Amino acid sequence: MSPPSPAMAGLLQALVGASEKAGTIARLCRAEEPLFQLLVAEKSGTDKNRRFLQDFKTLADVLIQEVIKHDLGKEFPELQGHIHGEESNEFKNRQGDTVVVRVCDTPGDTAALLLSVLEPEREAAELLAAAVHRDVTLGDAELASVALSIPPQDLAIWIDPIDSTNEYIGGREDVAPIDGITPAGLCSALVLIGAYDRQTGCPVLGIINEPFYCRDPLTHRWQGRYHWGVAYGDTQLSSLSPPPPRPTPCVVLSRAEGGPVRAALGPLCGDRLCFAAGAGYKMLCVILGLADAYVLSEGSTFAWDACAPHAILRALGGGAVALAGALQARRVGDTGPPPELVYNRPAEGAVGAKRWANQGGLVAYVHPQHLEAVLAALATVPGL
């Protein structure tokens, strides 16, 4: 890598600040009536109305993505062109014109641009523009004291502006947690920002922001929280401590996970198979020690889902391995470390979003003994 640059010391703080602004916008869309009505409106009426309402749901994602790109690119010009997200920022408005969503120089200009997509919802456009241009102040002494020397020209960023978008739109607040893991609902909607090494694809810095962590008991407004981790060279730092390992691991899965995988993991876990929505949320469950591993046998997650939580897992001594590759290595007797997910290599022959799918599934873990136990159990599953 290039020599460290003192100018990069504020990168972690900038990423956290961007995630906090993103979380504010995500909450705003549910708290302010003009925005909330657009977010939850029933898909009824003409095709034009259905498309418009869907556009607004996508706009919340895209706007958060573009705010993060704008704020980070402005502070760290070396990152411009290397900040990637899930969403395209091009929209067709009701007149059929293409509108490129971006952050303009002033709140008024940004509001006018958003209005060209949201027309006639002027108040909604102005509320969003004000949030986009509002400065974020972090009152986090621990975060402020962290000094990193990571050269910006060696990094690139993956953003998932609202992971678990369907849960965000559905907005269920009454889902009771089971052993600390909430199976679905608003709390699984996260903002994920991960930085990786452009050359190796290795994740080095991650932020997970929970915009809907809990409600303020007095105001009843949602409050968020964030977690961060750094795994760069010999540096391993995190806002969290590694959770203690359980003797019998708890594994979290998607409800769509197939019967053979469930059957293979059942004896390993006893009654500790758990289920939850959102790839980012399931990886967060491992980070927080609510589960010991997250297993996914399909290639249904993407670089933007996994980069940020993977970096935090590495900071805690764990990681996220490519399941198919790890099982293949195991079957041929390779005793080295199983292959980790990387974030700089699109899948050969794939097109569109599938270029960045984590093909062959993944296992996220903190403690190596849990990874080993999971791989040993899954090695018996035909077809994996």
Side-chain angles (χ1 to χ4, degrees):
M1 277 196 159
S2 309
S5 163
M8 207 50 183
L11 176 63
L12 175 62
Q13 292 84 346
L15 292 180
V16 170
S19 83
E20 283 285 85
K21 182 181 282 191
T24 298
I25 294 170
R27 285 189 294 270
L28 183 75
C29 288
R30 298 201 61 85
E32 295 291 346
E33 193 66 19
L35 296 171
F36 183 69
Q37 288 304 323
L38 291 177
L39 191 67
V40 302
E42 291 294 330
K43 289 187 178 180
S44 58
T46 67
D47 285 344
K48 180 184 287 187
N49 284 339
R50 283 199 295 272
R51 184 192 61 75
F52 169 68
L53 295 172
Q54 185 57 47
D55 273 0
F56 179 73
K57 294 168 174 59
T58 309
L59 182 63
D61 258 351
V62 172
L63 186 61
I64 288 172
Q65 175 180 290
E66 294 307 307
V67 166
I68 295 170
K69 282 185 177 181
H70 172 269
D71 289 4
L72 291 180
K74 184 176 179 180
E75 189 165 352
F76 301 102
E78 303 94 326
L79 290 174
Q80 290 178 9
H82 298 279
I83 305 174
H84 314 297
E86 175 183 6
E87 307 288 350
S88 165
N89 64 338
E90 289 191 355
F91 280 81
K92 292 279 190 184
N93 65 14
R94 288 183 171 185
Q95 287 72 45
D97 300 324
T98 298
V99 179
V100 178
V101 175
R102 60 185 179 84
V103 178
C104 301
D105 291 336
T106 68
D109 289 345
T110 300
L113 179 73
L114 293 175
L115 184 59
S116 68
V117 175
L118 292 172
E119 198 168 11
E121 306 293 340
R122 180 176 298 277
E123 186 177 3
E126 290 174 349
L127 283 166
L128 285 171
V132 163
H133 288 270
R134 191 173 296 127
D135 290 333
V136 171
T137 302
L138 298 172
D140 186 334
E142 180 189 11
L143 180 69
S145 68
V146 176
L148 301 174
S149 294
I150 306 178
Q153 64 270 24
D154 291 336
L155 299 182
I157 308 287
W158 276 114
I159 304 165
D160 194 343
I162 302 178
D163 187 51
S164 206
T165 308
N166 288 337
E167 300 299 325
Y168 173 66
I169 293 168
R172 291 181 60 193
E173 302 178 17
D174 58 348
V175 183
I178 301 172
D179 293 329
I181 296 176
T182 306
L186 195 54
C187 71
S188 59
L190 309 174
V191 177
L192 308 173
I193 308 176
Y196 64 92
D197 184 316
R198 292 182 201 174
Q199 298 303 314
T200 67
C202 182
V204 298
L205 198 157
I207 313 295
I208 298 178
N209 196 296
E210 300 180 72
F212 303 99
Y213 171 59
C214 66
R215 281 195 181 274
D216 184 289
L218 296 177
T219 66
H220 302 293
R221 286 186 171 271
W222 282 106
Q223 293 181 315
R225 67 173 180 176
Y226 54 79
H227 317 282
W228 55 265
V230 180
Y232 176 74
D234 295 329
T235 300
Q236 286 180 292
L237 294 172
S238 179
S239 57
L240 299 162
S241 299
R246 294 179 182 84
T248 301
C250 169
V251 176
V252 64
L253 304 170
S254 164
R255 290 206 175 275
E257 189 58 71
V261 169
R262 296 189 190 199
L265 292 172
L268 172 66
C269 301
D271 61 352
R272 297 193 65 81
L273 278 179
C274 299
F275 301 90
Y281 179 71
K282 288 189 279 286
M283 294 180 82
L284 176 61
C285 288
V286 178
I287 289 165
L288 296 176
L290 300 172
D292 298 291
Y294 162 40
V295 174
L296 179 69
S297 64
E298 301 291 332
S300 54
T301 66
F302 297 86
W304 48 82
D305 297 315
C307 185
H310 188 176
I312 300 176
L313 287 165
R314 291 185 66 238
L316 297 175
V321 303
L323 175 57
L327 291 177
Q328 182 180 6
R330 186 183 185 89
R331 287 165 181 152
V332 300
D334 186 342
T335 58
E340 297 258 329
L341 298 179
V342 293
Y343 299 93
N344 65 339
R345 291 204 299 265
E348 291 184 14
V351 296
K354 290 184 178 180
R355 295 171 65 239
W356 298 105
N358 298 315
Q359 294 185 327
L362 64 88
V363 181
Y365 70 98
V366 170
H367 299 287
Q369 64 267 36
H370 291 144
L371 172 64
E372 174 60 26
V374 164
L375 292 177
L378 293 177
T380 63
V381 179
L384 282 188

